């Protein structure tokens, strides 16, 4: 068989997937991606920046990745790629690369950064603090960096690599000396075409600049569209998994139809340890919101669901689920005055017993028309199981 037809056969068997936040972010994407990453050649971030906080437990140690894709570096297979749709704070990336280097000095050589990505400057972070408090921004400079990009005043990593040496350039040089590659998609495409790719979304569909609850959104594309605008037209994900908790959380301002208040909120927050991985802020909490999840699946291009944190609701007799609003949401504006309607389904004593989860999961599938493909009931990789 010649090389071309051998390549063709391989191409047909490759399966790329995407793992996106289905709702308001913080659904456990990092944990899921980390658990699945050993089966893929690349784990690819395509949107957002260090506003993401992806929590991972490796050998009992907690890591928070803000920019670094959630690849399991103990597994020999996956490499990490930071795509051009991201906005990158080089100092923060340098910190995360150093963590990787400390784990093993050969690991940074598995990290590739697209030099077409734009950078976040200190003034972007200052601007966030001054102007975006009412949105509940993480103050990581994300919005202002995308504004610079769109207004054609931005700086790409590539510009720094050409230009005179500055502080940021020092970070690039140090990362290069640790082994990090700064190579664009055009250079890597031939290799990636025959590889299996796992796209790791940041934020969630309801925070997407086009489809989220504007103006309480982040400034990047967190739907499947972000993968394509990052240049991956040649690598369509066969399955797009949306990750959602079996309840709902949100950081930052804006409408949250199923939000709990006071004692009930406090209890759920403590049970789930719902504090922001990036900012440490207490997260707003509420019951699962199926109209929002259905909207997010449709707008986000989600084909399958992954539900997380079942262990947190262990021991509840009945679990509330919002199954409808008085008026179904047809646009993101409809979330601002939504009136949620609830049912309860039997709860579970122990989320490790699959049978007890059936009523809840069947109801999610009925409302979203998406199959639940994986569930997670703990922080260990073995707690992520196919459903
Ligand atoms: P991961 O990837 C949850 C929220 C902020 C704020 C709004 C705008 O961990 O799921 P920004 O800093 O982008 O200007 O903030 O978006 N937000 C997130 N919420 N998870 C995230 O990322 C988020 N990234 C941004 O709280 O409401
Ligand atoms: Mg997070």
């Amino acid at each position: 068989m010649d090389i071309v037809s051998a390549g063709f056969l391989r191409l047909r068997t490759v399966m790329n997937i995407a793992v996106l936040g289905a709702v308001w972010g913080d659904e456990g994407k990092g944990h899921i991606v980390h658990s699945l990453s050993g089966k893929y050649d690349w784990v690819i971030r395509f949107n957002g920046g260090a506003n993401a906080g992806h929590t991972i437990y490796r050998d009992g140690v907690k890591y928070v990745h803000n920019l670094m894709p959630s690849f399991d570096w103990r597994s020999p297979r996956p490499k990490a790629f930071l795509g051009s749709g991201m906005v990158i704070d080089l100092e923060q990336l340098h910190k995360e690369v150093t963590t990787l280097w400390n784990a093993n000095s050969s690991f940074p050589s598995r990290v590739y950064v697209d030099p077409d990505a734009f950078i976040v400057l200190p003034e972007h972070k200052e601007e966030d603090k001054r102007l975006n408090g009412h949105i509940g921004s993480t103050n990581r400079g994300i919005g202002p960096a995308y504004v610079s990009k769109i207004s054609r005043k931005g700086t790409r990593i590539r510009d720094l690599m050409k230009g005179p040496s500055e502080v940021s350039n020092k970070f690039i040089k140090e990362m290069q000396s640790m082994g990090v590659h700064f190579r664009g998609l055009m250079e890597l495409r031939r290799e990636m075409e025959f590889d299996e790719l796992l796209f790791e979304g940041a934020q969630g569909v309801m925070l997407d600049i086009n489809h989220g609850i504007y103006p309480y959104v982040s400034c990047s594309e967190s739907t499947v569209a972000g993968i394509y605008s990052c240049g991956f037209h040649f690598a369509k994900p066969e399955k797009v998994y949306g990750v959602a908790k079996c309840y709902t959380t949100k950081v930052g301002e804006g409408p949250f139809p199923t939000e709990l208040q006071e004692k009930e909120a406090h209890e759920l927050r403590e049970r789930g340890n719902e504090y922001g991985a990036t900012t440490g802020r207490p997260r707003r909490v509420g019951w699962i919101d199926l109209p929002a999840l259905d909207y997010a699946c449709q707008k986000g291009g989600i084909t399958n669901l992954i539900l997380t944190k079942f262990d947190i609701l262990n021991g509840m007799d009945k679990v509330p689920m919002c199954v409808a609003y008085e008026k179904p949401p047809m646009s993101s504006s409809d979330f601002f005055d939504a009136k949620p309607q609830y049912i309860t389904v039997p709860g579970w004593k122990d989320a490790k017993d699959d049978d007890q989860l059936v009523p809840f999961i069947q109801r999610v599938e009925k409302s979203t028309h998406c199959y639940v493909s994986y569930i997670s009931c703990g922080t260990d990789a073995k707690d992520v199981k196919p459903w």
Side-chain angles (χ1 to χ4, degrees):
M1 191 182 295
D2 64 35
I3 291 172
V4 175
S5 42
F8 179 68
L9 273 183
R10 174 110 197 266
L11 188 62
R12 286 175 59 101
T13 59
V14 165
M15 174 140 130
N16 305 318
I17 65 163
V19 174
L20 309 182
V23 202
W24 277 294
D26 296 335
E27 300 95 344
K29 298 178 286 289
H31 171 45
I32 301 289
V33 168
H34 188 251
S35 306
L36 300 178
S37 67
K39 299 183 194 146
Y40 293 85
D41 299 297
W42 295 89
V43 178
I44 297 167
R45 275 278 310 264
F46 57 88
N47 74 309
N51 49 352
H54 295 179
T55 307
I56 288 150
Y57 290 85
R58 266 188 211 99
D59 306 321
V61 181
K62 177 178 169 181
Y63 294 84
V64 176
H65 291 200
N66 296 119
L67 288 165
M68 188 64 70
S70 305
F71 74 122
D72 188 349
W73 59 57
R74 295 165 307 180
S75 162
R77 192 168 166 196
K79 288 175 273 192
F81 185 68
L82 286 81
S84 62
M86 294 180 71
V87 286
I88 296 180
D89 174 346
L90 290 167
E91 185 174 0
Q92 172 63 30
L93 183 60
H94 181 271
K95 260 192 222 155
E96 293 182 42
V97 168
T98 306
T99 304
L100 202 61
W101 194 83
N102 286 336
N104 184 317
S105 61
S106 73
F107 288 164
S109 64
R110 286 160 62 184
V111 177
Y112 293 71
V113 183
D114 193 327
D116 284 341
F118 283 76
I119 59 163
V120 175
L121 293 166
E123 49 262 43
H124 292 137
K125 291 187 254 186
E126 289 308 314
E127 202 177 318
D128 242 352
K129 281 186 210 149
R130 268 190 296 116
L131 300 178
N132 293 323
H134 64 295
I135 302 294
S137 170
T138 58
N139 294 333
R140 296 302 179 102
I142 306 306
Y146 279 115
V147 169
S148 296
K149 170 179 172 173
I150 299 298
S151 61
R152 297 174 291 196
K153 297 190 182 92
T155 308
R156 292 169 305 173
I157 291 178
R158 194 177 291 290
D159 304 324
L160 287 182
M161 291 172 79
K162 283 196 299 226
S165 165
E166 296 191 14
V167 187
S168 319
N169 224 334
K170 173 183 126 206
F171 293 125
I172 295 175
K173 286 201 180 102
E174 283 186 17
M175 287 191 275
Q176 280 174 321
S177 71
M178 284 191 263
V180 175
H181 309 268
F182 287 83
R183 290 176 67 191
L185 199 51
M186 289 291 277
E187 290 174 74
L188 295 169
R189 178 181 166 147
R190 292 282 163 252
E191 189 181 329
M192 283 181 170
E193 256 171 0
F194 299 108
D195 279 346
E196 285 180 293
L197 318 184
L198 192 175
F199 296 100
E200 175 183 15
Q203 290 80 54
V205 175
M206 302 300 271
L207 291 171
D208 177 85
I209 184 70
N210 295 311
H211 303 288
I213 41 166
Y214 194 87
Y216 299 101
V217 291
S218 191
C219 291
S220 71
E221 290 178 289
S222 38
T223 70
V224 74
I227 296 170
Y228 297 112
S229 45
C230 203
F232 284 94
H233 306 276
F234 61 91
K236 179 178 183 293
E238 295 301 318
K239 285 200 172 147
V240 179
Y241 294 98
V243 189
K245 284 175 186 160
C246 61
Y247 50 97
T248 308
T249 65
K250 178 172 181 11
V251 282
E253 303 304 318
F256 181 173
T258 63
E259 183 169 19
L260 291 170
Q261 304 295 339
E262 299 179 2
K263 186 163 169 282
E264 273 188 307
H266 177 77
E267 273 172 25
L268 185 53
R269 183 178 302 115
E270 294 310 306
R271 268 176 182 249
N273 189 25
E274 295 296 350
Y275 292 88
T278 305
T279 57
R281 289 180 288 182
R283 293 181 184 141
R284 298 162 66 189
V285 296
W287 300 121
I288 194 165
D289 182 342
L290 295 177
L293 192 53
D294 179 33
Y295 173 92
C297 290
Q298 295 190 53
K299 288 281 194 153
I302 289 167
T303 60
N304 296 68
L305 287 168
I306 300 176
L307 296 179
T308 62
K309 295 196 96 165
F310 278 100
D311 52 317
I312 302 304
L313 302 189
N314 275 351
M316 283 180 64
D317 282 345
K318 287 183 169 37
V319 177
M321 305 178 86
C322 166
V323 291
Y325 298 160
E326 230 170 67
K327 180 171 155 256
M330 290 295 147
S331 119
S332 63
S333 328
D334 293 336
F335 291 93
F336 284 74
D337 54 1
K339 298 202 172 43
Q341 298 173 345
Y342 294 92
I343 61 163
T344 57
V345 294
W348 45 91
K349 281 203 175 56
D350 182 357
K352 294 212 160 77
D353 177 358
D354 290 354
D355 291 345
Q356 297 180 27
L357 306 180
V358 169
F360 184 94
I361 292 181
Q362 278 181 343
R363 185 65 225 206
V364 172
E365 291 180 331
K366 182 173 171 197
S367 290
T368 59
H369 314 285
C370 279
Y371 285 117
V372 172
S373 298
Y374 289 91
I375 62 164
S376 150
C377 50
T379 55
D380 207 85
K382 69 173 179 346
D383 298 324
V384 178
K385 351 179 239 191
W387 179 260

